[in-house]
């Protein structure tokens, strides 16, 4: 089986990308003379090393400085990156990638050895990457044993057949494996440079990448600057000369600086989208983003008795008026949620979930019945605690939900907020009753959500498990089209209500009208500076 | 005097040691750790991480290793969260920034504050006094987290005169707003302390004598009143100077300066143990040094004080 990716890539490029750096016009629009893109991030970059970085904002920079085997196209599909094509063995476990003739920013060729080095590095227990589990998630042969230190790193299922051929062996078939390759932790690093300079290799001037840009300035807590890499294989189609990341901790301050013209893109602070989209309709954007907001119900042994009763969990979930939360609390175009997987996930078919189609009055009535059946009422009132990490938006949602529960069900709710790290610790130790959580997809496929609820997942902190669910998810791994299993899995979740889905995210941004090429259709918001350009303002 | 200095320095050593031990224990007692994250790290990966950073050792051993490295190698270790960088690098990069805007703000606050206070006292109960008191109360009730956004709104958004943040090596455009926002409320406190202390001194016997023997007013003020009136001001300035040059989280946050004020708070929230320890020790050393300096200044100003 051979997939020629070049053809589809060429097509995608022709459709989505400008025709050449020398052009002064694209789609009838004149290019701006200065091609500089400036955007805001919340916190400083934790690392420029692809195998150490764990942050979304760090990954944005990684995608400019390095290039993995595959890239995301603006529509979120995968197109060739450092690899031009791949073949898959008949048993669907061996991927063989052909690398393109590309250079590192120091002029050395990018080889299969660099990929082998980077992937072993990610799994190496001595290197201790916080994302080493991603290697396991991708199902690379022996990843688990290597990470645990039971096998040497050279036993990992990766191999350089020759300088231009990189081979990956998986434990078992994984249909969405190629879509996982745009993740920054899989990007290659130049072995010679890393070995020579040690941890200093990521400093500006030292950092050698194979991406469309090179790191030229890093002022911690202030800014990161990257400039066009003339050695990049597709440099002639790159337009943005320089991308500047500004660290601005306060989102209102970022908005002020955006309005003063210092930035081309920033986040819209919670609750301000309606006003901004009215005042600046050409600049305020809201589009789906792959994250799901939920309330865990603790069903662990140390959790409250009441929440072990399905009827109570259902009653609490039904009584949440999601429409009010989305339209009156969040006000940023988010969507109401009755399932786990983000509705815009590639290939995901939304299952028929009963209570999603009821009116809120019907849900409330059913909730009251269920809670009464479970033995709670005016004589025996239910009392619960909502835990959330300190944040204005989480607080407003918690207040709204406590009101729904109070008014509809007569449930007494205490609100308990703690700082982020304490919240995480409480979740992981099962020390909560009901807790706010959000999960963002690592790749654009439903299993990035649904795997979380298996009994063997490290992230399922609810204490709920279901053998049928586990079976469906295990089986889905080897299926050509696992859609049916995902639908069935979502139905099990809706019927068992291990958590209450609340809403699904949108990216809510301010973007200057001169900025073009933003991948609004990419659910993971994986963007690349080389896809962007600035047009001259009228 | 020399004996006194040596004695004070000798006390500083156990003080710092106690500071290190208490901070270390408190930090480790806080729930969560540097590697607690939304993507729960599997146990075997966590074990690898803890082994790499020595967090699997018993606490007393960790403290001992830490103190040994700090004292004998001046090595504050790697950051647990900002993994490309060491604590030495983070402080070496961030401290000069806060030192620069903090020291300028300090000088401004002292000059304006003392001047305002002295004039208010000399022209007690006149319009000048009321103006000075009004200004300092106004400045006092505008804390820097209110000042900073107001300044940005006026000078960046409306007038377009100054960049809304950044540092760029500390060019003057980037300094103006951080300095004003930081200096204002300190300036107000200094003005109030100076005024009340000056009023007290102006009513004392030696000033009455100086005036009675016919000295001109400016000589009385500058030569006889100012020095004793500065005593309470100086005791306020010691710790103030330290807290100004070690940065303000609000200034660093609003103006993206890259100073250590924000690093300090973030390291606590991130459980970045080594960065937090490093900055704690820096502030500890500075506080001890400037308290000593203040005490020495006392002796210089007030001949009655002898060590």
């Amino acid at each position: 089986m051979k997939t020629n990716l070049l053809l589809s890539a060429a097509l995608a490029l022709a459709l989505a990308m400008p025709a050449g750096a020398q052009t002064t016009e694209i789609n009838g629009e004149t290019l701006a003379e200065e091609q500089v893109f400036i955007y805001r991030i919340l916190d400083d970059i934790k690392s420029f090393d692809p195998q150490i970085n764990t942050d979304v904002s760090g990954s944005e920079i990684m995608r400019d400085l390095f290039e993995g085997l595959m890239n995301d196209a603006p529509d979120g599909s995968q197109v060739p990156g450092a690899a031009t094509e791949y073949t898959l063995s008949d048993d669907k476990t061996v991927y063989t990638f052909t690398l393109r003739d590309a250079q590192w920013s120091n002029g050395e060729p990018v080889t299969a050895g660099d990929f082998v080095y980077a992937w072993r590095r990610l799994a190496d227990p001595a290197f201790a990457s916080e994302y080493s589990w991603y290697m396991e998630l991708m199902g690379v042969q022996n990843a688990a044993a290597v990470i645990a230190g039971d096998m040497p790193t050279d036993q990992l299922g990766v191999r350089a057949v020759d300088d231009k051929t990189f081979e990956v062996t998986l434990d078992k078939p994984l249909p969405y494996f190629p879509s996982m390759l745009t993740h920054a932790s899989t990007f290659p690093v130049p072995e010679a440079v890393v070995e020579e300079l040690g941890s200093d290799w990521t400093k500006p001037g030292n950092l050698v990448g194979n991406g469309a840009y090179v790191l030229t300035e890093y002022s911690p807590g202030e800014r990161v600057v990257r400039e066009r890499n003339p050695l990049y294989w597709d440099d002639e189609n790159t337009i943005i000369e320089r991308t500047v990341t500004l660290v601005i901790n306060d989102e209102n301050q970022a908005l002020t600086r955006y309005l003063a013209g210092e930035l081309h893109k920033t986040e819209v602070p919670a609750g301000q989208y309606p006003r901004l989209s009215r005042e600046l309709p050409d600049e305020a954007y809201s589009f789906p983003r792959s994250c799901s907001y939920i309330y865990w119900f603790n069903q662990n042994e140390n959790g409250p008795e009441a929440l072990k009763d399905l009827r109570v969990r259902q009653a609490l979930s039904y009584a949440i008026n999601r429409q009010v939360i989305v339209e009156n609390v969040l006000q940023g175009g988010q969507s109401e949620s009755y399932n786990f997987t983000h509705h815009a996930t590639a290939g995901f078919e939304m299952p028929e979930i009963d209570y999603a189609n009821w009116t809120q009055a019907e849900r409330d009535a059913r909730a009251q019945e269920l809670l009464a059946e479970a033995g709670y009422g005016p004589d025996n009132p239910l009392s619960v605690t909502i835990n959330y990490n300190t944040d204005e938006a989480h607080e407003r949602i918690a207040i709204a939900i406590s009101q729904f529960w109070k008014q509809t069900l007569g449930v007494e709710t205490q609100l308990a907020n703690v700082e982020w790290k304490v919240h995480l610790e409480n979740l992981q130790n099962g020390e909560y009753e009901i807790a706010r959580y959000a999960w963002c997809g690592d790749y654009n496929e439903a299993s990035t959500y649904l795997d979380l609820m298996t009994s063997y997942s490290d992230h399922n902190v609810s204490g709920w498990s279901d053998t049928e669910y586990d079976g469906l998810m295990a089986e889905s791994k080897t299926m050509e089209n696992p859609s049916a299993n995902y639908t069935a899995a979502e139905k099990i979740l809706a019927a068992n209500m291990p958590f209450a889905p609340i809403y699904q995210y949108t990216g809510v941004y301010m973007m200057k009208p001169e900025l073009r090429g933003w991948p609004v259709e990419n659910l993971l918001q994986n963007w690349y500076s080389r896809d962007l350009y600035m047009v001259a303002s009228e | 005097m020399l004996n006194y200095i040596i004695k004070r320095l000798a006390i500083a050593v156990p003080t710092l040691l106690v500071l290190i031990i208490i901070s270390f224990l408190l930090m480790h007692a806080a729930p969560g750790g540097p590697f607690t994250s939304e993507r729960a790290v599997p146990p075997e990966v966590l074990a690898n991480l803890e082994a790499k950073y020595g967090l699997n050792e018993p606490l007393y051993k960790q403290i001992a290793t830490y103190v040994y490295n700090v004292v004998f190698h001046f090595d504050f270790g790697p950051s647990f969260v900002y993994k490309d960088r060491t604590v030495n690098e983070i402080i070496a990069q961030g401290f000069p920034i806060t030192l620069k805007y903090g020291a300028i703000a300090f000088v401004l606050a002292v000059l304006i504050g003392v001047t305002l206070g002295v004039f208010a006292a000399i022209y007690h109960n006149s319009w000048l006094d009321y103006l000075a008191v009004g200004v300092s109360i106004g400045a006092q009730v505008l804390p820097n987290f209110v000042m900073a956004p107001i300044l940005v709104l006026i000078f960046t958004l409306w007038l377009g005169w100054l960049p809304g943040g950044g540092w760029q090596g500390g060019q003057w455009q980037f300094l103006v707003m951080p300095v004003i926002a930081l200096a204002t409320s300190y300036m107000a406190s200094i003005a109030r302390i100076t005024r009340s202390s000056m009023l007290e001194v102006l009513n004392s016997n030696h000033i009455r004598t100086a005036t009675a023997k016919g000295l001109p007013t400016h000589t009385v003020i500058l030569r006889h009143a100012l020095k004793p009136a500065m005593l309470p001001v100086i005791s306020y300035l010691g710790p103030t100077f330290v807290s100004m040059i070690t940065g303000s989280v609000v200034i660093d946050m609003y103006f993206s300066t890259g100073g250590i004020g924000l690093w300090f708070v973030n390291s606590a929230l991130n459980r970045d143990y080594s960065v937090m320890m490093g900055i704690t020790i820096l502030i500890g050393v500075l506080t001890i040094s400037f308290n000593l300096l203040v005490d020495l200044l006392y002796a210089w100003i007030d001949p009655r004080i002898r060590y």
Side-chain angles (χ1 to χ4, degrees):
Chain A
M1 191 168 110
K2 182 157 176 152
T3 321
N4 192 341
L5 291 165
L6 266 183
L7 192 69
S8 59
L11 210 69
L13 283 177
L15 286 171
M17 286 185 105
Q22 292 76 23
T23 44
T24 52
E25 209 171 83
I26 290 169
N27 301 333
E29 290 183 301
T30 316
L31 282 179
E33 245 168 63
E34 201 189 42
Q35 291 293 332
V36 177
F37 172 57
I38 307 171
Y39 71 101
R40 173 248 178 179
I41 59 170
L42 172 75
D43 277 323
D44 200 10
I45 296 304
K46 303 224 164 72
S47 173
F48 290 101
D49 189 316
Q51 277 83 50
I52 292 180
N53 162 66
T54 55
D55 285 356
V56 173
S57 52
S59 303
E60 292 170 349
I61 295 175
M62 296 305 142
R63 282 192 291 273
D64 278 354
L65 301 179
F66 299 90
E67 184 166 74
L69 295 165
M70 310 288 270
N71 288 333
D72 265 0
D75 66 355
S77 63
Q78 278 73 49
V79 292
T84 50
E85 60 180 17
Y86 63 82
T87 56
L88 179 57
S89 65
D90 290 337
D91 67 353
K92 294 180 183 171
T93 57
V94 183
Y95 285 82
T96 310
F97 295 90
T98 307
L99 304 187
R100 74 172 76 241
D101 284 319
Q103 292 176 315
W104 290 101
S105 55
N106 61 1
E108 295 294 319
V110 177
T111 65
D114 294 322
F115 277 92
V116 172
Y117 177 70
W119 287 37
R120 284 181 182 166
R121 195 167 176 253
L122 185 66
D124 187 353
F127 186 70
S129 168
E130 281 183 65
Y131 250 70
S132 50
W133 55 267
Y134 195 76
M135 200 49 63
E136 236 180 300
L137 196 68
M138 290 196 298
V140 178
Q141 196 177 42
N142 299 334
V146 170
I147 293 167
D150 298 336
M151 264 189 195
T153 52
D154 58 13
Q155 294 297 305
L156 190 71
V158 290
R159 185 165 80 96
V161 179
D162 57 49
D163 271 358
K164 292 290 160 204
T165 314
F166 177 59
E167 188 189 272
V168 182
T169 309
L170 306 184
D171 280 324
K172 49 181 186 269
L174 192 63
Y176 49 86
F177 175 76
S179 74
M180 299 182 79
L181 297 171
T182 61
H183 196 276
S185 62
T186 68
F187 291 176
V189 292
E191 177 172 3
V193 178
V194 177
E195 289 297 319
E196 189 198 329
L197 298 172
S199 61
D200 279 341
W201 86 276
T202 53
K203 302 242 178 337
N206 291 350
L207 192 136
V208 168
N210 65 333
Y213 292 81
V214 286
L215 182 67
T216 52
E217 187 197 332
Y218 170 48
S219 305
E222 186 197 349
R223 59 165 60 213
V224 178
V225 181
R226 43 205 192 269
E227 292 187 45
R228 188 166 167 167
N229 171 14
L231 294 179
Y232 180 61
W233 64 270
D234 199 23
D235 181 54
E236 64 175 45
N237 286 315
T238 306
I239 296 181
I240 292 285
E241 294 285 342
R242 185 153 48 98
T243 296
V244 181
T245 309
L246 295 182
V247 183
I248 307 174
N249 219 264
D250 184 86
E251 56 182 2
N252 286 301
Q253 164 76 344
L255 180 64
T256 310
R257 291 179 67 180
Y258 170 88
L259 295 172
E262 290 185 22
L263 295 160
H264 299 117
K265 173 182 169 276
T266 190
E267 286 77 14
V268 172
Q272 298 198 39
Y273 180 71
R275 174 179 73 85
L276 289 166
S277 57
R278 211 168 39 243
E279 291 171 5
L280 299 163
D282 297 344
E283 301 182 35
Y285 290 86
S286 167
F287 36 80
R289 192 176 142 226
S290 185
C291 303
S292 223
Y293 193 100
I294 62 170
Y295 267 19
W296 285 121
F297 294 129
N298 187 356
Q299 297 142 72
N300 286 294
E301 265 176 42
N302 55 351
E305 269 318 301
L307 294 177
K308 293 184 178 122
D309 188 330
L310 171 64
R311 293 167 298 190
V312 175
R313 300 199 297 271
Q314 282 177 324
L316 291 174
S317 175
Y318 292 168
I320 298 170
N321 189 335
R322 291 156 176 89
Q323 195 184 353
V324 169
I325 288 174
V326 168
E327 290 177 7
N328 300 83
V329 179
L330 297 164
Q331 306 186 329
Q334 290 84 353
S335 47
E336 301 162 33
S337 179
Y338 301 92
N339 73 313
F340 193 26
T341 310
H342 194 288
H343 64 89
T345 303
F348 178 66
E349 286 165 34
M350 184 61 76
E352 280 293 318
I353 289 169
D354 50 5
Y355 74 103
N357 299 320
W358 303 347
T359 65
Q360 189 57 42
E362 287 168 344
R363 273 181 227 130
D364 287 347
R366 185 74 190 120
Q368 284 160 353
E369 280 171 32
L370 284 164
L371 201 67
E373 277 174 33
Y376 295 96
D379 314 328
N380 181 21
L382 177 64
S383 170
V384 292
T385 303
I386 298 178
N387 291 69
Y388 58 96
N389 53 302
T390 313
D391 176 277
E392 209 186 310
H394 301 330
E395 178 165 88
R396 282 194 278 177
I397 292 171
I399 290 172
I401 289 177
S402 68
Q403 282 307 306
F404 300 142
W405 287 348
K406 172 89 188 153
Q407 285 163 9
T408 313
L409 305 172
V411 171
E412 289 298 333
T413 310
Q414 282 85 43
L415 302 186
N417 68 314
V418 288
E419 61 159 308
W420 178 230
K421 290 266 180 178
V422 181
H423 185 65
L424 290 173
E425 184 91 348
N426 288 344
L427 282 177
Q428 279 153 27
N429 295 337
E431 285 160 9
Y432 68 96
E433 291 187 0
I434 295 173
R436 162 279 138 184
Y437 192 69
W439 182 259
C440 294
D442 282 315
Y443 47 90
N444 193 4
E445 213 265 352
S447 65
T448 192
Y449 287 95
L450 297 172
D451 277 345
L452 192 94
M453 293 311 297
T454 54
S455 59
Y456 45 85
S457 158
D458 289 316
H459 301 109
N460 177 4
V461 297
S462 65
W464 172 86
S465 65
D466 185 276
T467 44
E468 191 190 344
Y469 187 93
D470 286 356
L472 283 168
M473 290 316 294
E475 192 186 40
S476 75
K477 300 289 170 208
T478 53
M479 292 167 79
E480 192 72 47
N481 180 7
S483 241
N485 281 33
Y486 294 159
T487 307
E490 284 279 9
K491 286 198 155 177
I492 292 179
L493 292 182
N496 287 276
M497 210 68 83
F499 56 79
I502 315 264
Y503 76 93
Q504 297 181 354
Y505 281 41
T506 46
V508 194
Y509 302 112
M510 296 300 288
M511 288 195 272
K512 290 287 177 194
E514 304 90 79
L515 177 65
R516 293 284 185 283
W518 193 266
V520 289
E521 287 172 29
N522 187 323
L523 190 63
L524 298 177
Q525 283 300 296
N526 285 347
W527 58 273
Y528 301 79
S529 291
R530 59 182 163 74
D531 290 344
L532 310 176
Y533 58 99
M534 311 295 290
V535 296
S537 47
E538 290 126 33
Chain B
M1 182 77 107
L2 194 67
N3 271 341
Y4 174 75
I5 297 177
I6 293 171
K7 214 162 84 189
R8 285 282 295 264
L9 290 178
I11 300 171
V13 174
T15 311
L16 274 175
L17 206 63
V18 170
L19 174 77
I20 291 176
I21 292 172
I22 293 182
S23 315
F24 209 96
L25 294 177
L26 278 177
M27 212 167 51
H28 284 264
F35 312 117
T36 312
S37 87
E38 197 164 18
R39 297 278 191 272
V41 178
E44 69 273 15
V45 176
L46 189 65
N48 292 342
L49 278 162
E50 290 188 335
K52 183 171 174 178
Y53 290 97
L55 292 173
N56 51 353
E57 302 278 357
L59 264 187
Y60 72 90
K61 228 175 182 173
Q62 288 185 41
I63 298 182
T65 316
Y66 182 78
V67 172
Y68 175 84
N69 285 335
V70 168
V71 173
F72 293 98
H73 302 287
F74 200 65
D75 176 7
F76 291 83
S79 164
F80 293 178
V81 174
Y82 296 88
K83 293 192 179 126
D84 294 358
R85 318 180 64 212
T86 65
V87 179
N88 295 45
E89 281 174 341
I90 288 176
I91 294 179
Q93 176 271 327
F95 184 50
I97 294 173
T98 50
L99 181 64
K100 186 168 180 177
Y101 75 72
I104 296 175
F106 178 79
V107 171
L108 263 184
V110 171
L111 284 181
I112 301 176
V114 169
T115 313
L116 267 180
V118 168
F119 276 96
I122 298 173
Y123 301 101
H124 185 43
N125 283 339
S126 72
W127 67 270
L128 201 70
D129 185 17
Y130 300 143
L131 183 74
V133 171
V135 167
S136 66
I137 288 176
Q140 184 94 61
V141 297
L142 275 180
N144 50 15
F145 59 85
V146 179
M147 273 298 277
I150 292 178
L151 287 171
V152 174
L153 212 59
I154 297 174
F155 291 106
T156 305
L157 190 60
W158 294 343
L159 298 173
W161 290 353
L162 294 170
W167 186 246
Q168 309 252 332
Q171 296 167 37
W172 71 269
Q173 307 93 304
F174 296 90
L175 272 169
V176 177
M177 290 193 287
V179 165
I180 298 177
L182 182 63
T184 317
S185 66
Y186 289 113
M187 187 262 306
S189 303
I190 294 170
R192 283 189 307 106
I193 298 170
T194 310
R195 178 179 171 274
S196 59
S197 149
M198 195 70 181
L199 278 176
E200 207 179 305
V201 173
L202 285 177
N203 287 327
S204 64
N205 290 335
H206 80 278
I207 296 298
R208 214 170 293 135
T209 314
T211 319
K213 72 178 183 184
L215 287 178
T217 316
H218 68 267
T219 314
V220 175
I221 303 289
L222 290 177
R223 195 169 298 165
H224 299 286
L226 197 55
K227 222 165 119 180
M230 281 299 100
L231 271 182
V233 180
I234 283 172
S235 64
Y236 173 76
L237 292 186
T240 300
F241 183 67
V242 175
S243 72
M244 283 176 96
I245 61 167
T246 48
S248 144
V249 59
V250 175
I251 304 295
D252 288 340
M253 199 176 97
Y254 274 99
F255 297 111
S256 309
T257 55
I260 52 167
L262 188 59
W263 285 99
F264 193 33
V265 172
N266 277 347
S267 63
L269 293 176
N270 289 331
R271 307 286 190 269
D272 194 348
Y273 298 149
S274 52
V275 174
M276 202 173 131
M277 284 306 294
I279 302 180
T280 305
I281 293 174
L282 174 74
I283 295 176
V285 168
L286 287 171
T287 306
I288 291 173
S289 313
F290 280 90
N291 280 343
L292 176 59
L293 193 69
V294 164
D295 288 347
L296 296 179
L297 276 176
Y298 272 174
W300 176 68
I301 288 176
D302 189 342
R304 285 169 301 182
I305 299 173
R306 281 281 166 267
Y307 299 120

